[in-house]
Amino acid sequence: MLSEKMARALNEQLNAELYSSYLYFAMAAYCRDLGLNGCARWMEAQALEELSHAVKFYDFISERGGRVLLSSIEAPPSRWDSPLAMFEAVTKHENKVTGLIHQLVDLAIAERDHATNNFLQWFVSEQVEEEAGVAEIVQRMRLTGEAQGALFMLDRELGQRVFTLPPGTTLVAPAAK
Ligand code: FEO
């Protein structure tokens, strides 16, 4: 059973994951507006991935006897100065999310809540992967500079991304036992 404090913190993270999804859909829409359909596709996949993270929190809170409480999702920005500025904003956002996950782990350890700590370790690894993936895109985008041809090629490459559910994740509620 989750402590009240832990349940509240996990519900806040559920909100943060939904906001992440919302933010990446906003970025996808911005890319579509610029005609960067590959970047848009990458962002749409990212938005769906965040939704799957939210579902993981939703399932875990319920499974541990907690009450899922949904709160308002902040409106994300709708424009950025450039595609590079947008990906830099992704880096900043993911760094923030990593900090939030680490705070949750600290709380789970303080409460000796081993099950929650174990659940959160998946997210600790996921954040390492996400940060590395975005850092690579930012680096490559910086290298393209003003070169439209290079940006077009990178856009095409990013458009290859396909959303796949992380292992052990589902977007529908598990069947009743
Ligand atoms: Fe759900 Fe991008 O972390």
Side-chain angles (χ1 to χ4, degrees), residues 32 36-45 87 137 151-163:
R32 294 251 171 232
L36 292 171
N37 292 333
C39 286
R41 206 176 150 80
W42 191 95
M43 283 297 173
E44 285 153 6
F87 275 104
I137 297 171
L151 178 61
F152 179 70
M153 273 174 59
L154 181 58
D155 183 64
R156 271 234 305 241
E157 200 183 307
L158 292 177
Q160 303 303 309
R161 180 174 176 183
V162 177
F163 169 67

Side-chain angles (χ1 to χ4, degrees), residues 3-173:
S3 74
E4 243 176 65
K5 192 172 176 186
M6 195 76 239
R8 198 166 41 242
L10 291 171
N11 270 305
E12 280 167 15
Q13 190 60 32
L14 169 55
N15 181 277
E17 300 293 343
L18 289 171
Y19 174 77
S20 298
S21 182
Y22 220 31
L23 173 66
Y24 295 137
F25 272 126
M27 288 178 170
Y30 166 73
C31 293
R32 294 251 171 232
D33 202 37
L34 294 181
L36 292 171
N37 292 333
C39 286
R41 206 176 150 80
W42 191 95
M43 283 297 173
E44 285 153 6
Q46 185 70 14
L48 291 173
E49 194 170 294
E50 296 298 350
L51 213 46
S52 76
H53 293 173
V55 172
K56 267 184 179 287
F57 279 96
Y58 175 94
D59 283 344
F60 184 76
I61 295 166
S62 314
E63 205 177 279
R64 297 282 317 283
R67 170 99 157 84
V68 171
L69 290 169
L70 300 174
S71 46
S72 331
I73 304 167
E74 192 190 326
S78 56
R79 304 205 66 76
W80 289 266
D81 288 343
S82 64
L84 172 61
M86 179 192 68
F87 275 104
E88 284 172 338
V90 175
T91 302
K92 203 168 153 205
H93 180 69
E94 287 304 329
N95 289 344
K96 189 176 154 196
V97 172
T98 298
L100 293 174
I101 296 287
H102 290 181
Q103 278 175 28
L104 284 173
V105 171
D106 288 345
L107 178 62
I109 291 170
E111 294 202 349
R112 302 173 69 86
D113 182 344
H114 301 295
T116 301
N117 185 13
N118 185 48
F119 164 74
L120 291 168
Q121 290 309 311
W122 184 90
F123 286 92
V124 171
S125 308
E126 173 69 11
Q127 284 308 119
V128 172
E129 261 181 51
E130 283 203 21
E131 285 188 15
V134 179
E136 192 189 323
I137 297 171
V138 168
Q139 194 185 21
R140 290 185 57 193
M141 217 158 237
R142 281 189 186 139
L143 286 173
T144 64
E146 301 291 304
Q148 289 299 305
L151 178 61
F152 179 70
M153 273 174 59
L154 181 58
D155 183 64
R156 271 234 305 241
E157 200 183 307
L158 292 177
Q160 303 303 309
R161 180 174 176 183
V162 177
F163 169 67
T164 46
L165 277 171
T169 311
T170 158
L171 281 180
V172 291

